[in-house]
């Protein structure tokens, strides 16, 4: 009952605010609805220099502001999930799987600076609000030659609005749903609600540009399933504030400063059953992300440009859980990462070529309860240099050669070359091909983790730096029963590598029709895996991290766009993906892997039975229909993902057709909006219209949700 | 005297089980213990192996008893015969003992072979039969080390396909055994099944075997 009144109050407040604002700002003049048609967009992420997308030799996609707005997206996850070939993973937040590589291997940047604070390799995409995003650039294929660690599968660069045009906009949104009943009623106790408030403004005073963005997102999902054993979305409050300043000293020199703060508070009330015993846990997870950067741009001449970037970021993640059943015990997990970087880049442009060269120094520090002692700071320093030469021997041809060297204090250095070619065959057809090397530095967790799971049998995981010392110590105390073969492989971890090849192009048979195609293959070496290295006298296992696995991912990406007329447009995307662990393929070749037939009897496993790495779909597709007459728009977006393997049901140690799969599914999202003359934009939509849910395999997919939003231009 | 009475009782149980099996008109309960002979191959279903009776400090436990099985007579043997050569394999949770060494007075032994059941037609000449030496067993315990793999994420135990237990019986003859399933009814619960189901359904063996008077099967 109390729940109800609170919710009713919220709704009344929400509606009142909307109405009040509507009345207040109804007087303002007509909105500028004409948008410049960006036929050939400028992108920066692919080459670290501004380039027309048609001239870029690597696969790059741009999601523009209008697409983000029309999809009703609030967080980075919302918009990325609608892109062909990007799959949102579940566990430790929402991560992105690109070209079949796990979330660990995609670099996520905001305005060209990396976000830190990954849990088990996953950077939660819900941490990033997209309300002030001008565009998102997605570069596929290894990009470590420019960006260093993590850019193995590709790079996602979220670029915020930095126009500093005079404006003040307010946004409000209310969404609700009830997946169990199919349709929710606003205010009902079993309804979950998602509310968002945003305010952004910018202006230019002389040479100074000022811009700010504030966003509050309140998602309340657990009220109807308190202490549920099912992993449903938890009640979340997320706040984002960003302030950007720009000062133009002269035509040639500009300084930009940005401070971004994102805070997430996730309430936790859930029940877990382990071996039949139920534990009720309650507490909270709180994450704070603070980024500060300064960019000094100086144009020495028409030909020479210099960019100096300073970046400091802190990520504090903490989780505190209490237990109803064990009142004297508290689970306290703290993770604090600091990352500082100074970088300088010079671009020299000639008529037919550009040289980009630079270098930098970074300090990466972590304190965590997950390691031996939270007060002991783990630190890595990285010194790096990169160079890229872009040559256009003819108008139709671009050749790019790049290389980067990262020298790490804690582990082996990484060398990342890249070569890319683009050839414009005709006005209708252009081809591109690239080959590059990507790497990912070992995590601090892989180096320093010191974890013993007393709740589940007492096994331990030690990071590679301490594992040998700890095991030797235990051995001297007579506590080690057995040293496993993998113990001998324990040594300093080296980065994980990938070699990626991308080949494809763009075909534009008519003004209205456009195709993009790309074939890719990523060979991944040296993957770090947790392996059993010793057994204690009491039978519990000790694990550590070793560079052992080799895998590959390969596939085809296709995109088509058809513009029926000025108003009506269709976009379609498709990705076919095949992945394999190379050791698995060898085992199948050696005829030592079996599965079971329909009678439950063993039979040899064939390559045709093998499905590759888990949690990957062979087929993914999307279809978007949109109508836009500049005053009114409507979109319908369909996403499809084929079945994916979730567990090794036949126990043969690899994933094959006889194992357990999550069902393939279709998700439908629709939205429509109207632009009014007084600067008000009203939008409504429904996410997950078909109310598709799979609580075990897609815990982050909320049920059907209806939302309404309004944007107000507070300054005409 | 006492022993004789217990043996008699055990025999009575076996006989009753046999008569039940012959009653073909009733639909077969998929969860009942059964022994079916088809040519040389004997299939045993739902042999309980110290099934879960409760929790002790959060861990599921049984009462601690083994189920003894005689591969020569196709019979589930009384626990009273534990110290005899009247059994070849004894089951308790994921532990399988052979009748030799620290486990029994017999001349048994075993090893785990990687391969298909049907392809094993003779006991390999270079076979080394191990015996139980507590706390280690001829049929190695541990995930991925012997006949099963255990997934800590799903809490499910699965017999690894392509593992044949080559057994020396208590009287020194041979049998080959393939464990087919570890759960009641011969069906492993889904990865997403509740813990209650995973706990209550486990420790029911379904396996097939071929016993031989010689070294060929």
């Amino acid at each position: 009952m109390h729940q109800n009144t609170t919710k009713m109050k919220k709704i009344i407040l929400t509606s009142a605010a909307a109405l009040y604002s509507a009345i207040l700002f109804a007087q303002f003049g007509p909105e500028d609805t004409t948008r410049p048609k960006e036929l050939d967009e400028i992108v920066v992420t692919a080459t670290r220099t501004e380039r027309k997308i048609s001239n870029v030799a690597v696969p790059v996609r741009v999601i523009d502001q209008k697409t983000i707005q029309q999809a009703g997206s609030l967080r980075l996850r919302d918009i990325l999930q609608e892109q062909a070939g990007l799959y949102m993973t579940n566990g430790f937040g929402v991560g992105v799987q690109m070209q079949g590589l796990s979330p660990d291997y995609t670099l996520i940047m905001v305005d060209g600076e990396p976000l830190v604070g990954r849990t088990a390799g996953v950077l939660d995409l819900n941490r990033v609000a997209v309300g002030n995003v001008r565009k998102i650039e997605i570069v596929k294929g290894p990009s470590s030659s420019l960006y260093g660690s993590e850019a193995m599968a590709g790079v996602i660069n979220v670029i915020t609005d930095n126009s500093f045009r005079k404006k003040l906009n307010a946004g409000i949104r209310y969404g609700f749903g009830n997946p169990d009943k199919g349709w929710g009623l606003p205010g009902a106790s079993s309804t979950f609600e998602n509310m968002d408030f945003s305010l952004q403004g910018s202006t230019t005073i002389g040479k100074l540009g000022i811009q700010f963005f504030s966003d509050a997102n309140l998602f309340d999902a657990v009220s109807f399933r308190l202490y549920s054993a099912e992993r449903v979305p938890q009640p979340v409050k997320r706040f984002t504030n960003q302030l950007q300043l720009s000062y133009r000293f002269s035509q040639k020199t500009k300084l930009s400063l940005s401070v971004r703060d994102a805070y997430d508070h996730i309430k936790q009330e859930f029940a877990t059953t382990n071996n039949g015993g139920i534990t009720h846990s309650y507490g909270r997870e709180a994450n704070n992300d603070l980024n500060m950067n300064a960019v000094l741009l100086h144009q020495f001449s028409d030909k020479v440009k210099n960019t100096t970037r300073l970046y400091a970021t802190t990520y504090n993640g903490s989780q505190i859980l209490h237990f109803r059943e064990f009142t004297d015990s508290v689970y306290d997990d703290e993770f604090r990462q600091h990352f500082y970087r100074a970088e300088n880049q010079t671009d020299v442009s000639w008529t037919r070529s550009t040289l980009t060269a630079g270098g930098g120094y970074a300090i990466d520090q972590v304190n965590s309860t997950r390691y031996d002692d939270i007060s002991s700071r783990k630190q890595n320093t990285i010194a790096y240099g990169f160079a890229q030469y872009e040559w256009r021997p003819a108008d139709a041809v671009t050749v790019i050669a790049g290389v980067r060297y990262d020298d790490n204090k804690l582990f082996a250095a990484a060398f990342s070359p890249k070569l890319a070619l683009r050839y414009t065959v005709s006005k209708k057809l252009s081809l591109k091909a690239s080959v590059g090397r990507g790497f990912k530095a070992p995590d601090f967790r892989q180096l320093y983790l010191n974890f013993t799971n007393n709740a589940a049998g007492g096994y331990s995981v030690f990071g590679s730096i301490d594992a040998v010392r700890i095991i030797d110590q235990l051995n001297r105390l007579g506590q080690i029963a057995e040293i496993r073969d993998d113990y001998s492989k324990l040594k300093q971890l080296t980065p994980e590598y990938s070699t990626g090849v991308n080949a494809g192009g763009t075909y534009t048979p008519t003004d209205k029709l456009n195709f993009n195609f790309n074939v890719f293959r990523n060979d991944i070496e040296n993957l770090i895996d947790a392996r059993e290295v010793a057994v204690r006298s009491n039978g519990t296992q000790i694990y550590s991290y070793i560079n052992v696995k080799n895998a590959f991912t390969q596939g085809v990406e296709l995109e088509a766009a058809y513009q029926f007329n000025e108003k009506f447009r269709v976009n379609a995307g498709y990705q076919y993906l095949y992945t394999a662990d190379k050791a698995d393929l060898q085992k199948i070749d050696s005829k030592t892997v079996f599965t079971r037939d329909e009678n439950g009897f063993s039979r040899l496993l064939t390559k045709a039975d093998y499905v590759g790495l888990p949690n990957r779909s062979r087929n993914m597709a999307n279809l978007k229909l949109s109508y836009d007459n500049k005053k009114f728009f409507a979109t319908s977006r369909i996403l499809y993902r084929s079945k994916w393997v979730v567990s090794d049901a036949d126990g043969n140690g690899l994933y094959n057709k006889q194992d357990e799969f999550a069902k393939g599914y279709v998700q439908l999202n629709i939205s429509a909006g109207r632009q009014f003359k007084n600067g008000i934009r009203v939008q409504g939509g429904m996410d997950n219209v078909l109310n598709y849910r799979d609580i075990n395999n897609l815990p982050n997919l909320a049920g059907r949700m209806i939302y309404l939003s309004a944007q107000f231009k507070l300054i005409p | 005297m006492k022993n004789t009475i217990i043996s008699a009782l055990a025999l009575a149980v076996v006989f009753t089980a046999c008569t039940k099996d012959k009653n073909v008109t009733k639909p077969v309960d998929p969860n009942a213990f059964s022994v079916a002979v088809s040519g040389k191959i004997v299939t045993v279903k739902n042999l309980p192996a110290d099934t879960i009776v409760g929790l002790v400090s959060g861990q599921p436990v049984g009462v601690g008893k083994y189920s003894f099985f005689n591969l020569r007579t196709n019979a589930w043997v009384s626990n009273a015969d534990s110290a005899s050569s009247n059994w070849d394999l004894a089951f308790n949770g994921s532990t399988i003992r052979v009748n030799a060494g620290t486990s029994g007075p017999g001349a048994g032994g075993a090893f785990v072979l990687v391969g298909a059941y049907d392809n094993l037609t003779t006991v390999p000449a270079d076979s080394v039969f191990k015996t139980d030496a507590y706390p280690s067993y001829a049929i190695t315990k541990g995930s991925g080390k012997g006949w099963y793999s255990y997934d800590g994420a799903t809490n499910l135990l699965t017999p690894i396909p392509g593992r044949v237990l080559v057994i020396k019986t208590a009287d020194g003859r041979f049998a080959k055994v393939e464990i087919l399933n570890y759960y009641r009814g011969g069906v492993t619960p889904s990865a997403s099944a509740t813990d209650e189901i995973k706990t209550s359904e486990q420790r029911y063996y379904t396996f097939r075997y071929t016993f031989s008077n010689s070294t060929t099967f």
Side-chain angles (χ1 to χ4, degrees):
Chain A
M1 198 58 216
H2 171 74
Q3 201 68 263
N4 263 344
T5 21
T6 336
K7 288 233 165 80
M8 272 322 285
K9 268 184 199 162
K10 278 187 204 163
I11 291 156
I12 293 166
L13 272 174
T14 314
S15 332
L19 195 65
Y20 178 69
S21 320
I23 296 164
L24 193 64
F25 303 110
Q27 51 186 312
F28 290 117
E31 147 84 338
D32 174 22
T33 50
T34 50
R35 289 167 192 275
K37 211 173 184 183
E38 287 174 314
L39 285 172
D40 200 359
E41 255 174 301
I42 301 290
V43 293
V44 295
T45 316
T47 57
R48 285 183 87 127
T49 49
E50 292 188 344
R51 285 288 173 273
K52 282 182 184 170
I53 199 165
S54 63
N55 282 338
V56 171
V58 296
V60 54
R61 296 286 170 272
V62 177
I63 308 169
D64 62 14
Q65 193 169 27
K66 188 167 136 187
T67 305
I68 297 169
Q69 281 174 354
Q70 291 192 346
S73 298
L74 295 173
R75 320 300 301 183
L76 187 54
R77 166 206 172 256
D78 304 339
I79 189 66
L80 291 186
Q81 70 163 351
E82 300 198 351
Q83 310 308 310
L86 297 187
Y87 180 70
M88 302 302 113
T89 63
N90 297 287
F92 307 106
V94 179
V96 61
Q97 192 187 87
M98 196 193 279
Q99 291 196 340
L101 272 77
S102 297
D104 314 43
Y105 308 110
T106 294
L107 177 67
I108 313 279
M109 303 195 294
V110 172
D111 291 325
E113 301 289 358
L115 290 180
V116 302
R118 288 173 180 254
T119 308
V122 176
L123 195 130
D124 187 0
L125 300 173
N126 280 324
R127 278 167 49 187
V128 185
V130 292
N132 66 332
V133 170
R134 181 162 58 91
K135 62 173 175 175
I136 299 165
E137 296 185 359
I138 301 166
V139 177
K140 293 185 179 175
S143 307
S144 294
S145 64
L146 289 174
Y147 297 103
S149 181
E150 292 176 6
M152 250 167 91
V155 179
I156 295 174
N157 191 8
V158 177
I159 298 167
T160 57
D161 185 357
N162 58 355
S163 59
F164 299 104
R165 270 195 308 228
K166 191 176 173 188
K167 67 164 184 257
L168 184 62
N169 295 345
I172 184 164
R173 174 174 139 143
Y174 174 76
F176 63 96
N178 183 337
D180 288 337
K181 293 181 179 167
W183 302 91
L185 274 177
S189 65
S190 59
T191 296
F192 73 79
E193 296 172 304
N194 188 354
M195 280 180 284
D196 196 85
F197 306 92
S198 69
L199 189 68
Q200 58 180 312
S202 57
T203 191
T204 306
I205 307 160
K207 291 176 173 176
L208 180 69
I210 305 171
Q211 180 150 309
F212 75 93
F213 170 71
S214 284
D215 181 85
N217 182 223
L218 311 168
F219 189 85
D220 162 22
V222 97
S223 51
F224 64 103
R225 227 184 270 162
L226 208 63
Y227 291 120
S228 164
E230 293 173 335
R231 296 171 295 164
V232 293
Q234 309 280 334
V236 186
K237 295 174 200 149
R238 301 181 191 276
F239 304 96
T240 306
N241 289 294
Q242 186 168 12
L243 177 69
Q244 287 159 296
L245 300 173
S246 159
Y247 190 78
R248 195 171 277 281
F249 291 97
S250 69
Q251 284 292 89
K252 290 181 173 174
T253 311
K254 191 175 97 172
L255 177 69
S256 310
L257 298 169
S258 167
V259 181
R260 175 182 171 274
D261 181 80
Y263 175 76
D264 298 342
H265 181 282
I266 303 162
K267 186 178 172 185
Q268 296 187 322
E269 276 177 3
F270 58 89
T272 45
T273 48
N274 194 12
N275 290 324
I278 300 179
T279 308
H280 293 82
S281 311
Y282 61 95
R284 61 117 182 100
E285 183 186 330
N287 305 312
N288 193 62
D289 194 0
L290 177 67
N291 323 93
M292 286 178 286
N293 72 324
V295 181
L296 180 68
L297 198 87
H298 183 69
Q299 191 92 37
F300 283 102
S301 70
D302 287 351
K303 286 181 179 169
V304 182
K305 188 170 105 176
N306 187 278
T307 314
T308 305
R309 310 177 73 108
L310 298 174
Y311 180 56
T313 183
T314 300
Y315 177 82
N316 279 321
S318 87
Q319 189 181 20
I320 293 174
L321 287 179
H322 301 270
F323 309 100
R324 252 200 211 166
E325 286 75 12
F326 317 99
T327 44
D328 53 340
S329 132
V330 177
Y331 173 77
D332 184 357
D333 177 74
E334 303 282 336
F335 179 87
R336 298 179 204 130
Q337 185 169 10
H338 304 270
F339 181 81
Y340 309 96
R341 187 165 81 172
E343 186 179 272
N344 189 282
Q345 175 184 337
T346 304
D347 304 309
V348 188
S349 310
W350 295 278
T351 321
R352 291 222 165 262
S353 59
T354 305
L355 176 71
T356 300
Y361 185 77
I363 301 168
D364 195 358
Q365 300 171 329
V366 170
N367 290 72
S368 177
T369 48
R370 299 167 201 170
Y371 312 149
D372 55 345
D373 177 4
I374 186 158
S375 60
S376 139
R377 173 167 284 175
K378 312 302 181 192
Q379 176 170 301
N380 183 32
T381 55
I382 309 135
Y384 61 94
F386 59 89
Q388 175 183 266
Y389 187 67
E390 187 179 347
W391 181 42
R392 291 174 300 279
D395 287 346
V397 181
T398 308
V399 182
I400 297 177
V403 66
R404 175 166 160 147
Y405 186 79
D406 286 72
D407 186 49
N408 297 291
K409 198 192 99 201
L410 277 186
F411 39 81
F415 178 71
S416 320
K418 183 156 184 171
L419 185 68
L421 290 166
R422 184 195 57 87
Y423 175 56
T424 307
V425 180
S426 68
K427 275 188 178 171
K428 289 180 180 174
L429 180 68
S430 89
L431 300 174
K432 45 178 106 170
S434 58
V435 55
R437 199 137 189 252
F439 79 92
K440 183 186 165 290
D443 278 354
F444 281 107
R445 120 193 99 109
Q446 291 159 341
L447 298 167
Y448 293 112
L449 189 67
N450 187 325
F451 173 76
T452 297
N453 192 338
N454 290 315
Y459 71 87
S460 299
V461 190
F462 298 124
S464 76
I465 284 186
D466 291 333
V468 171
R469 184 178 56 78
I470 294 171
I471 293 165
D472 288 353
Q473 220 163 45
L474 291 171
N475 208 1
R476 278 197 291 276
L477 295 168
Q479 290 180 14
I480 297 290
E482 194 182 347
I483 296 281
R484 311 287 299 174
D485 294 345
D486 281 331
Y487 175 84
S488 62
K489 295 181 193 156
L490 276 173
K491 56 172 185 170
Q492 188 186 44
L493 287 177
T494 62
E496 300 170 291
Y497 285 104
S498 75
T499 306
V501 180
N502 282 268
T506 306
Y507 178 56
T508 315
T510 72
D511 286 351
K512 291 180 171 177
L513 185 60
N514 174 57
F515 294 99
N516 266 307
F517 51 95
N518 186 43
V519 180
F520 63 88
R521 159 109 180 177
N522 293 295
D523 276 277
I524 310 149
E525 307 154 60
N526 255 353
L527 279 179
I528 297 171
D529 203 20
R531 293 286 170 98
E532 188 181 321
V533 289
V535 185
R536 283 203 189 83
S537 310
N538 62 8
T540 58
Q541 294 112 323
I542 296 174
Y543 297 87
S544 187
Y545 296 96
I546 314 175
N547 288 96
V548 274
K549 272 175 88 170
N550 295 315
F552 69 83
T553 73
Q554 61 188 26
V556 179
E557 295 160 299
L558 296 171
E559 280 181 338
Y562 186 69
Q563 188 87 36
F564 282 95
N565 53 43
E566 283 203 337
K567 293 164 187 164
F568 194 64
R569 188 178 167 86
V570 181
N571 289 75
Y574 171 75
Q575 178 183 273
Y576 174 85
L577 177 68
Y578 180 80
T579 62
D581 181 323
K582 290 181 185 172
D584 288 350
L585 293 178
Q586 279 166 10
K587 278 186 214 158
I588 295 171
D589 279 340
S590 69
K591 300 194 190 301
T592 55
V593 190
F594 296 77
T595 183
R596 292 189 187 277
D597 63 16
E598 57 283 3
N599 300 315
F601 302 149
S602 299
R603 69 156 175 84
L604 258 186
L605 190 81
T606 64
K607 280 213 172 119
D609 294 319
Y610 183 62
V611 297
L613 305 175
N615 198 21
R616 278 146 179 92
S617 296
R618 193 61 55 94
N619 301 288
M620 281 175 72
N622 62 6
L623 180 69
K624 178 182 172 186
L625 310 175
S626 54
Y627 174 88
D628 191 344
N629 71 6
K630 288 177 182 167
K631 280 185 179 164
F632 173 81
F633 82 87
T635 69
S636 154
R637 290 110 55 208
I638 299 168
L639 323 171
Y640 167 73
R641 187 183 177 196
S642 67
K643 66 174 184 175
W644 65 97
V645 68
V646 292
S647 88
D648 175 23
D650 64 5
N652 61 4
L654 45 76
Y655 296 98
N656 44 278
K657 286 178 178 163
Q658 293 74 19
D659 288 330
E660 191 167 334
F661 285 77
K663 280 186 196 149
Y665 70 100
V666 171
Q667 190 187 336
L668 169 64
N669 301 332
I670 54 171
S671 64
R674 174 88 161 84
Q675 181 82 53
F676 292 95
K677 281 184 177 169
N678 50 23
I680 297 175
R681 202 174 71 223
V682 179
Q683 183 171 333
M686 199 191 295
D687 284 344
N688 197 359
V689 175
L690 306 172
N691 200 23
Y692 186 80
R693 288 186 305 150
D694 182 343
I695 284 170
N696 292 304
N697 301 307
L698 294 168
N700 290 314
L701 179 65
R704 178 190 293 129
M705 181 166 69
I706 298 169
Y707 64 88
L708 278 169
S709 68
Q711 286 277 336
F712 309 97
K713 276 198 185 300
L714 306 186
I715 294 175
Chain B
M1 185 62 196
K2 228 178 200 175
N3 276 352
T4 330
I5 292 169
I6 290 168
S7 303
L9 280 172
L11 274 174
V13 170
V14 172
F15 278 121
T16 336
C18 288
T19 30
K20 258 184 194 166
D21 278 348
K22 278 170 189 163
N23 192 351
V24 283
T25 48
K26 274 189 181 174
V28 183
D29 177 1
N31 292 334
F33 168 73
S34 68
V35 179
V37 183
S38 166
K40 284 169 155 183
I41 297 176
V42 183
T43 304
V44 177
K45 288 182 175 164
N46 300 303
L47 176 69
D50 199 31
T51 53
I52 304 303
V53 293
L55 292 174
V56 171
S57 56
Q59 297 297 316
V61 291
V63 293
K65 294 257 176 178
Y66 278 79
S67 292
F68 296 91
F69 199 88
N70 188 323
L71 300 170
R72 294 157 280 159
T73 60
N74 307 339
W76 176 7
V77 178
S78 160
N79 285 47
D81 282 359
S82 65
S84 76
S85 289
N86 194 24
W87 61 274
D88 302 308
L89 293 176
F91 300 84
N92 175 309
S94 60
T95 306
I96 304 175
R97 294 187 187 227
V98 295
N99 198 338
T102 50
S103 294
F111 67 94
V112 181
L113 190 93
V114 176
Y117 185 80
D118 293 339
N119 292 353
L120 183 72
T121 50
T122 52
V123 177
D126 58 351
S127 294
V128 178
F129 285 88
K130 292 189 277 183
T131 56
D132 292 353
Y134 181 84
S136 83
Y137 299 95
I139 300 167
T140 320
K141 268 180 75 84
S143 178
K145 292 171 189 165
W147 62 273
Y148 67 87
S149 74
Y150 177 76
D151 185 340
T154 61
N155 289 320
L156 289 173
L157 188 146
T158 315
I160 303 170
R163 296 290 180 278
V164 184
L165 313 183
V166 186
I167 306 293
K168 207 192 257 185
T169 58
D171 62 355
R173 286 182 285 173
F174 300 101
K176 59 174 180 176
V177 178
E178 181 182 16
I179 311 289
L180 302 173
N181 200 281
Y182 187 66
Y183 293 87
R184 190 173 5 212
V187 181
T188 307
S190 158
S192 57
T194 62
D195 248 42
E196 287 85 344
I197 289 173
K198 289 175 183 172
T199 307
S200 64
E201 299 296 294
Q202 65 172 290
R203 301 192 176 187
Y204 288 90
Y205 277 81
T206 293
F207 60 96
R208 61 171 176 164
Y209 65 90
T210 303
F211 168 69
S212 173
N213 283 315
S214 67
T215 53
T216 57
F217 295 112

